[in-house]
Amino acid sequence: AGIDTAVFTGNFADYTLAYDFEGDGSLTVTQTAGGSDVVTLSNVEILSFADAVVKVANGAGSEYALIQTGIGVADTDAYIFVGAGEHFEGFLLQKIELEGRPQVVAVENASIEYSTDNGINWSNAFTIAEGPNTFLVRKVLGGGEYSTPVQFQFEFDSVSPTVAMSTNKTSLTAGETAVISFALNEPVSGFTRSDIIVTGPGILSEKLTTVNNRLYTATFTPDVSADGAVTLSLPAGSFTDSSGNANEQAATVELSVDTILPTVEVEVTSDASTLDAGQSTTVRFTLSEAATDFTAEDVFVSGGTLTGFRGTGKDYQATVTADQDFDGNLSVTVLGGRFSDLAGNKNDGDTALAPAIDVLWAPELTITANRELLVGNQKAGIVFEFNKPVTGFELSDVTVIDASDGTVVV
């Protein structure tokens, strides 16, 4: 099974070929110049010489055999061997270019004529047609005599294979990949991952995935934190079809890549780093890239409330008011994964106002006495109670007022 190749170091003209038509159809290759090797081959499909590659047809059960049954435009010396028989033993035909068209002619000065119209017209050469070629061959014996015509066939393929490249995604954001497809119009050989050129931020998978003998795929992965255009190209001459024709046209596919995640800077618009309870300040949000979906719901405030959210593109502002009963660090945080840049990348991670706003809540004082009425030298205990711990409160801060009507105010 498969295709077997016999390799010879000399040129094709340095050897003679002969089939065993009456036996097993084996082919004997005899070196006539530069050596004297004799090789008998069976079930070999290709003969590779230094100057030519020849396809071999099995000659068993026939008087004739045709070598090079498939001819491609790349075959500058496509030899055809006509096998044994009274008038045809050792006969060679050759494909050449004549006036820009491939021709079949005899070599070694053989007196041969051809007919492509079933013997109506004969000539010493004929133009090869695209696709199947059926022709008769006869030898000129002289005196108006000819050998019995023999029919041969071969296939000529001068059409270059083509490839169409496509992608399932034309733009990629962070975490995305694209599947690149290569659709061929016919089976080819020599097409590998190394033929594909990648220009731009990203890499293509190391191996191609074979869907079938005409369709291949590969995966493109963009670089992290990259922005730019990507071109994947397959140059002309990258692969050949079974007739040796190379692809003449290059193929390309283009992608756009943006894997840069947007960020945000949070800051207060004033120099104040503290607020009293209930006081307000303006907070500014500056995005690294424009967004259309950044809203107040993306902002979390601890110790206060957010109002008056406004802005577009990259610049936004809002008013932050400290809670009346809050004492501590008021924080303003933009939550991660909440807004997107124009390419669709989400912001990465939480971003908080730094430093947080220190909220100062003024203490409240309640003064009570254990007696409301004093007689003679009686005394009353006075209690000073704050709603939060304080420092610096001293007796000198207390003033006693003796009213004229006998009332004492502290």
Side-chain angles (χ1 to χ4, degrees):
I3 303 298
D4 295 318
T5 302
V7 179
F8 300 89
T9 58
N11 294 330
F12 181 77
D14 298 337
Y15 299 83
T16 61
L17 311 177
Y19 273 105
D20 180 8
F21 291 100
E22 296 180 357
D24 61 3
S26 60
L27 175 64
T28 299
V29 181
T30 302
Q31 189 174 15
T32 58
S36 58
D37 292 341
V38 178
V39 180
T40 299
L41 305 170
S42 296
N43 300 317
V44 172
E45 288 77 21
I46 296 176
L47 305 180
S48 177
F49 299 93
D51 61 344
V53 175
V54 177
K55 299 176 183 178
V56 179
N58 191 348
S62 171
E63 289 191 25
Y64 307 98
L66 186 64
I67 290 181
Q68 193 73 21
T69 56
I71 299 177
V73 72
D75 299 310
T76 55
D77 293 308
Y79 292 93
I80 301 172
F81 175 77
V82 182
E86 180 181 358
H87 303 296
F88 291 96
E89 186 172 4
F91 183 112
L92 289 175
L93 308 180
Q94 183 181 27
K95 168 184 163 289
I96 66 170
E97 292 290 331
L98 183 63
E99 295 181 355
R101 294 290 300 165
Q103 306 280 318
V104 166
V105 299
V107 298
E108 297 183 352
N109 299 317
S111 298
I112 301 298
E113 291 183 342
Y114 313 91
S115 175
T116 58
D117 55 8
N118 201 28
I120 298 175
N121 296 289
W122 293 86
S123 64
N124 60 2
F126 71 90
T127 301
I128 299 176
E130 188 72 30
N133 285 259
T134 301
F135 60 99
L136 297 175
V137 180
R138 71 182 184 183
K139 188 168 185 177
V140 180
L141 303 178
E145 297 293 326
Y146 302 91
S147 66
T148 302
V150 180
Q151 185 182 78
F152 294 100
Q153 290 181 326
F154 66 85
E155 187 89 10
F156 179 61
D157 176 12
S158 65
V159 179
S160 299
T162 61
V163 59
M165 292 177 59
S166 61
T167 175
N168 66 332
K169 295 179 181 179
T170 57
S171 59
L172 297 175
T173 58
E176 292 185 324
T177 60
V179 177
I180 311 300
S181 298
F182 306 85
L184 306 164
N185 68 328
E186 59 178 312
V188 300
S189 60
F191 177 37
T192 65
R193 162 62 184 86
S194 60
D195 297 324
I196 306 165
I197 300 173
V198 179
T199 304
I203 58 174
L204 196 65
S205 49
E206 294 183 358
K207 295 182 178 181
L208 296 175
T209 298
T210 303
V211 180
N212 55 53
N213 62 1
R214 297 187 182 190
L215 181 61
Y216 301 83
T217 62
T219 300
F220 175 79
T221 303
D223 291 341
V224 176
S225 298
D227 186 10
V230 174
T231 300
L232 295 97
S233 59
L234 186 61
S238 296
F239 51 84
T240 59
D241 62 14
S242 59
S243 297
N245 301 306
N247 61 308
E248 294 182 350
Q249 299 296 324
T252 61
V253 69
E254 295 183 348
L255 309 172
S256 62
V257 168
D258 181 356
T259 58
I260 300 176
L261 304 181
T263 59
V264 57
E265 181 181 357
V266 185
E267 58 184 347
V268 293
T269 59
S270 67
D271 295 334
S273 60
T274 62
L275 287 177
D276 290 335
Q279 279 190 322
S280 300
T281 190
T282 300
V283 176
R284 180 169 49 232
F285 306 89
T286 305
L287 311 186
S288 60
E289 302 180 58
T292 59
D293 58 351
F294 182 43
T295 67
E297 285 69 28
D298 302 330
V299 183
F300 176 74
V301 179
S302 175
T305 57
L306 185 79
T307 58
F309 187 87
R310 57 203 179 274
T312 59
K314 297 169 59 176
D315 299 311
Y316 298 82
Q317 291 186 354
T319 299
V320 175
T321 302
D323 292 339
Q324 288 288 349
D325 56 353
F326 181 75
D327 184 18
N329 291 326
L330 186 154
S331 63
V332 180
T333 304
V334 177
L335 303 176
R338 299 299 293 266
F339 68 88
S340 308
D341 62 14
L342 300 183
N345 296 301
K346 294 286 187 180
N347 63 306
D348 184 25
D350 297 346
T351 304
L353 174 67
I357 301 172
D358 186 14
V359 177
L360 305 178
W361 179 25
E364 296 180 0
L365 172 63
T366 302
I367 304 174
T368 60
N370 64 346
R371 289 183 180 180
E372 295 184 358
L373 179 63
L374 297 177
V375 179
N377 294 323
Q378 287 183 323
K379 297 180 180 179
I382 307 300
V383 176
F384 302 88
E385 184 176 3
F386 294 90
N387 62 346
K388 60 183 292 186
V390 298
T391 59
F393 179 58
E394 299 176 352
L395 182 60
S396 58
D397 297 326
V398 180
T399 301
V400 179
I401 302 174
D402 187 1
S404 60
D405 59 357
T407 300
V408 177
V409 179
V410 177

